[in-house]
């Protein structure tokens, strides 16, 4: 895949970049290794000062970087601004909390004596150079939620970003440089996916984190495993959105629309499978379909646009294949199910797809098991809570889940039985720096954000003093 900015709203290639050659890649690895040896000795006050500067600069750059993201991957510009603001918030959160999260841990005096020590404690030390392989769908946020905790822990970062967001990737390197981080603390590597293996196997790289597809995760995890290097994997998701009889149906349906089409539907944590109790199925289906049908599809640079184009032509083709297979096998398109017509304004060459709701989904349909990365929702009818939970878990993924109910017993049952890294009641899944983020099953392993996220790339060290 070429390293280039291709506007998904019209298919126009705006700027292309040469991939780094072996000599420049080696120079950057050497620089990162050298930077770690110095940066690891800095204190939390200095790291926080630098990260807060980066947050201030990002706020100043918000309009410009939002336009860049919109141009590179089609995110509606209002969502792009929100993403930039969220990144600045996360930077400030880690700047304020990292020292507390990484404070030495002291076991009880009785346990210290029982261990034969006069003194013992646990210290969190940085691992070193962390390679981040990141996707295009949240091109700032996915990187910052790794970079902010990693840098505050004393690690340094190498970013291999998706090849269709090179300008955003270069902006991130420049942002940390302008904030004052020492040379080599955060570098962007403009390389293709074929170069990842050699970089990951380099002994100067201590660990890796990947957000992306299951095949990409399998590849990076297997290489890292062969090298016995720590990894964090945040992979695909096919999150259930369960609606039970006690729910506020109007609010549940309105929120469902946002939950499905956020980021043009290209989000691992977007709700994708809508599982509705039969008592409220018809009312929910009608309101949800009306909401999806009412969305404005168009130029993502316009403030009035709700849904922009998919990020790539291949992505749209994959989505179309899933929808066509489902319809061919008996599913019904309650709305959408095709490319929009007559957008005008030079958008006819863009990779748009109409917001779609499919009902009548059966297990033999590909869409029942595969992730839909675009504005397509599947609608299921459940006879009771047991069937709703069974449907929710009938997926190889387990990233997050959403449940709408006012019944405390139903809430407890869902917390106990849903196979996911998160259970969100009466709202949509969202990430926040104070809460851990990640999944189970084929959605990956490890956690980002919160104290769990900053601990992932630390050497948890026992310090013991004899009696």
């Amino acid at each position: 895949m070429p390293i280039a900015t291709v506007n998904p709203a019209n298919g126009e290639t705006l700027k292309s970049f040469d991939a780094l050659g072996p000599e420049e890649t080696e120079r950057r690895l050497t620089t990162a290794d050298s930077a770690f040896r110095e940066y690891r000795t800095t204190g939390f006050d200095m790291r926080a000062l630098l990260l807060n500067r980066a947050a201030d600069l990002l706020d100043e750059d918000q309009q410009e970087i939002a336009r860049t993201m919109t141009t590179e991957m089609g995110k509606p510009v209002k969502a792009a601004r929100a993403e930039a603001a969220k990144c600045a918030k996360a930077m400030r959160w880690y700047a304020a909390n990292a020292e507390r999260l990484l404070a030495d841990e002291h076991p009880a005096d009785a346990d210290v004596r029982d261990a034969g020590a006069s003194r013992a404690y646990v210290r969190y030390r940085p691992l070193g150079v962390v390679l981040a392989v990141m996707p295009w769908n949240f091109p700032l946020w996915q990187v910052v939620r790794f970079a902010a905790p990693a840098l505050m822990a004393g690690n340094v970062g190498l970013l291999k970003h998706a090849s269709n967001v090179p300008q955003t990737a270069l902006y991130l390197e420049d942002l940390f440089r302008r904030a004052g981080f020492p040379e080599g603390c955060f570098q962007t590597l403009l390389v293709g996916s074929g170069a990842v293996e050699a970089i990951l196997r380099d002994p100067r790289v201590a660990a890796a984190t990947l957000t992306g597809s299951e095949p990409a995760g399998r590849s990076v995890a297997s290489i890292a495993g062969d090298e016995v290097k720590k990894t964090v994997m945040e992979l695909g998701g096919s999150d259930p959105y369960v609606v039970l009889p006690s729910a506020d149906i109007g609010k549940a349906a309105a929120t469902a629309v946002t939950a499905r089409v956020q980021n043009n539907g290209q989000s691992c944590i977007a709700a994708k499978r809508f599982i509705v109790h039969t008592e409220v199925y018809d009312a929910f289906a009608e309101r949800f379909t009306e909401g999806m049908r009412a969305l404005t599809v168009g130029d993502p640079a316009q403030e009035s646009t709700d849904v922009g184009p998919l990020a790539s032509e291949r992505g749209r083709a994959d989505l179309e294949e899933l929808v066509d297979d489902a319809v061919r096998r008996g599913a019904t398109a309650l709305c959408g199910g095709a490319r929009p017509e007559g957008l005008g304004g030079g958008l006819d060459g863009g990779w748009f797809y109409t917001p779609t709701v499919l009902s009548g989904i059966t297990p033999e349909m590909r869409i029942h098991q595969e992730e839909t990365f675009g504005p397509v929702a599947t609608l299921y009818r459940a006879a009771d809570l047991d069937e709703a939970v069974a449907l929710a878990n009938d997926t190889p993924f387990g990233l997050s889940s959403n449940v709408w109910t006012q019944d405390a017993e139903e809430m407890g049952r869902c917390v106990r039985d849903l196979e996911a890294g998160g259970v969100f009641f009466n709202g949509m899944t969202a990430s926040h720096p104070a809460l851990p983020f990640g999944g189970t099953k084929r959605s990956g392993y490890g956690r980002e954000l919160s104290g769990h996220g900053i601990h992932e790339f630390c050497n948890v060290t026992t310090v013991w003093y004899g009696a």
Side-chain angles (χ1 to χ4, degrees):
M1 183 178 182
I3 301 174
T5 297
V6 181
N7 187 345
N10 56 26
E12 180 184 357
T13 300
L14 301 176
K15 193 170 185 179
S16 297
F17 298 82
D18 293 329
L20 297 181
E23 290 185 1
E24 179 60 16
T25 300
E26 168 61 26
R27 188 192 72 78
R28 289 174 179 246
L29 281 164
T30 299
T31 302
D33 184 56
S34 176
F36 172 65
R37 297 180 190 282
E38 294 295 325
Y39 182 68
R40 65 188 293 274
T41 66
T42 60
F44 287 109
D45 287 349
M46 176 56 70
R47 297 173 196 170
L49 175 65
L50 297 174
L51 196 59
N52 277 319
R53 283 180 184 168
D56 292 343
L57 289 169
L58 182 53
D59 281 340
E60 293 173 10
D61 298 342
Q62 185 184 110
Q63 295 287 353
E64 180 182 354
I65 189 57
R67 286 193 295 269
T68 299
M69 286 191 284
T70 295
T71 300
E72 289 201 305
M73 53 71 60
K75 185 188 304 288
V77 70
K78 56 190 176 185
R81 288 196 302 269
E83 180 174 339
K86 184 175 185 176
C87 290
K89 176 180 178 179
M91 289 177 178
R92 294 188 176 101
W93 190 88
Y94 272 108
N97 290 284
E99 184 171 11
R100 172 182 60 83
L101 296 171
L102 297 178
D104 293 345
E105 295 179 4
H106 297 270
D109 289 344
D111 291 329
V112 171
R113 290 192 298 271
D114 192 53
S118 61
R119 185 161 65 101
Y121 61 92
V122 176
R123 173 156 295 180
Y124 292 97
R125 298 188 294 166
L127 286 180
V129 179
V130 181
L131 172 65
V133 181
M134 293 288 114
W136 46 262
N137 57 338
F138 291 92
L140 275 187
W141 174 239
Q142 303 282 14
V143 178
V144 167
R145 72 186 192 187
F146 134 76
L151 289 167
M152 283 305 300
N155 296 296
V156 303
L158 292 174
L159 170 63
K160 190 286 179 214
H161 218 325
S163 293
N164 61 331
V165 290
Q167 293 187 71
T168 305
L170 291 171
Y171 167 80
L172 284 158
E173 177 181 87
D174 186 59
L175 174 68
F176 290 113
R177 180 193 59 77
R178 286 187 290 138
F181 281 90
E183 182 185 5
C185 279
F186 187 94
Q187 299 178 86
T188 288
L189 304 179
L190 289 186
V191 296
S193 58
V196 170
E197 179 170 358
I199 296 168
L200 183 51
R201 289 190 184 277
D202 191 289
R204 291 166 293 189
V205 174
T209 179
L210 179 142
T211 299
S213 68
E214 184 184 341
R218 287 178 181 274
S219 175
V220 168
S222 64
I223 296 166
D226 190 49
E227 295 290 337
V228 198
K229 294 182 179 181
K230 176 70 180 291
T231 53
V232 171
M233 294 283 141
E234 195 267 277
L235 309 178
S238 190
D239 290 3
Y241 190 100
V242 178
V243 182
L244 299 171
S246 64
D248 180 329
I249 300 303
K251 187 176 180 181
T255 304
V257 173
T258 303
R260 177 65 285 244
V261 302
Q262 59 174 312
N263 205 43
N264 304 336
Q266 301 166 121
S267 170
C268 51
I269 59 168
K272 299 182 175 79
R273 298 175 299 127
F274 297 82
I275 301 165
V276 187
H277 193 286
T278 189
E279 290 183 18
V280 292
Y281 178 91
D282 291 339
F284 177 87
E286 180 180 1
R287 296 186 187 189
F288 180 45
T289 303
E290 287 176 356
M292 291 285 279
R293 189 183 290 118
L295 294 168
T296 299
V297 178
D299 185 352
Q302 297 298 317
E303 297 289 340
S304 59
T305 294
D306 298 310
V307 180
L310 299 189
S312 70
E313 190 171 15
R314 179 69 257 174
R316 182 175 66 176
D318 289 344
L319 191 67
E320 288 176 322
E321 289 175 10
L322 289 177
V323 173
D324 292 347
D325 172 79
V327 172
R328 187 169 59 250
R329 295 175 185 270
T332 299
L334 302 181
C335 67
R339 301 179 184 184
E341 297 180 355
L343 290 176
L347 303 178
D348 292 334
W351 303 315
F352 295 89
Y353 197 78
T354 304
T356 299
V357 178
L358 298 177
S359 65
I361 306 300
T362 56
E364 67 269 15
M365 299 172 185
R366 289 177 53 198
I367 205 167
H368 180 70
Q369 289 292 315
E370 298 181 33
E371 181 179 17
T372 51
F373 223 57
V376 174
T378 53
L379 194 56
Y380 296 80
R381 185 191 295 266
D384 51 29
L385 179 59
D386 287 340
E387 185 177 9
V389 170
L391 281 168
N393 290 339
D394 188 22
T395 173
F397 300 106
L399 193 53
S400 189
S401 59
N402 310 262
V403 181
W404 287 74
T405 178
Q406 301 300 324
D407 188 300
E409 185 175 344
E410 290 176 342
M411 290 180 180
R413 169 77 185 281
C414 289
V415 170
R416 186 191 71 185
D417 292 344
L418 287 177
E419 298 167 353
V423 184
F424 286 69
F425 290 105
N426 302 318
M428 59 180 276
T429 297
S431 54
H432 185 280
L435 298 173
F437 182 87
T440 187
K441 302 198 292 190
R442 292 188 181 179
S443 288
Y445 53 80
R447 290 295 180 266
E448 297 176 297
L449 302 176
S450 77
H452 296 279
I454 200 169
H455 290 159
E456 289 284 3
F457 295 115
C458 288
N459 175 4
V460 185
T461 307
T462 296
V463 182
W464 183 96
Y465 297 87

